[in-house]
Amino acid sequence: MSDVISVLTFKSIETILAAGGTQSWALDRNRAARCDYVVICRNAKTRDPEGPEEHGAAFMVGKVKDVVPSTETEGRWLIQISEYALVDWPDEWEGRNPVAYWKDDDYENIDFKVLDYQPLRKLPRGLTIPEAKTGLALGLNVPESAIEIVVRS
């Protein structure tokens, strides 16, 4: 049985990938670091949500790599991920607190081990693809949606 941490965020997939995980959480670092997975759900009822998902929908699952100090907010934490899978699970959020802890068998009919995980890839010079996309969009003064990066091998 695996431990799962679930978070409710307004941030986009691109923002999460650029940061290497989901951050600015007030949580128990030791407990969070013992989790195998983070389920990331959309908070569409605060600020300007960066993604199109419905409120409470899970849109990403990450394999927890580590929990380190946030790069955004002092005294808060960044849940780093090594791999991620994009999902579309409506109505996954319960409760008022934006951080919750579960077991993988609390998620009925979901096998976390068989999701289509992608590695969090770094580009040369230490940039992730989302970081490069964000930087190009800013430098060219266009929306991120106008930037497409194709990697051929």
Side-chain angles (χ1 to χ4, degrees), residues 81-121:
I81 58 175
S82 59
E83 299 177 55
Y84 68 96
L86 300 181
V87 297
D88 182 11
W89 302 339
D91 301 318
E92 277 300 320
W93 189 256
E94 292 182 16
R96 295 175 40 172
N97 191 336
V99 176
Y101 296 92
W102 304 93
K103 295 291 185 187
D104 60 349
D105 60 357
D106 291 325
Y107 292 84
E108 293 181 17
N109 303 316
I110 295 172
D111 185 349
F112 284 89
K113 292 179 182 79
V114 300
L115 295 176
D116 185 21
Y117 292 100
Q118 305 298 315
L120 199 63
R121 297 179 189 228

Side-chain angles (χ1 to χ4, degrees), residues 22-86:
T22 179
Q23 69 176 323
S24 297
W25 300 111
L27 50 75
D28 177 337
R29 187 246 173 244
N30 292 326
R31 184 175 182 189
R34 284 193 305 268
C35 291
D36 299 294
Y37 304 100
V38 57
V39 174
I40 304 171
C41 299
R42 171 65 58 228
N43 183 350
K45 294 184 178 180
T46 186
R47 303 184 191 179
D48 293 320
E50 294 179 2
E53 299 83 9
E54 295 293 320
H55 184 76
F59 61 92
M60 180 187 283
V61 173
K63 290 185 178 180
V64 176
K65 177 180 174 182
D66 200 358
V67 179
V68 299
S70 172
T71 61
E72 290 180 338
T73 310
E74 189 174 334
R76 300 271 178 127
W77 299 96
L78 162 65
I79 303 168
Q80 292 180 324
I81 58 175
S82 59
E83 299 177 55
Y84 68 96
L86 300 181

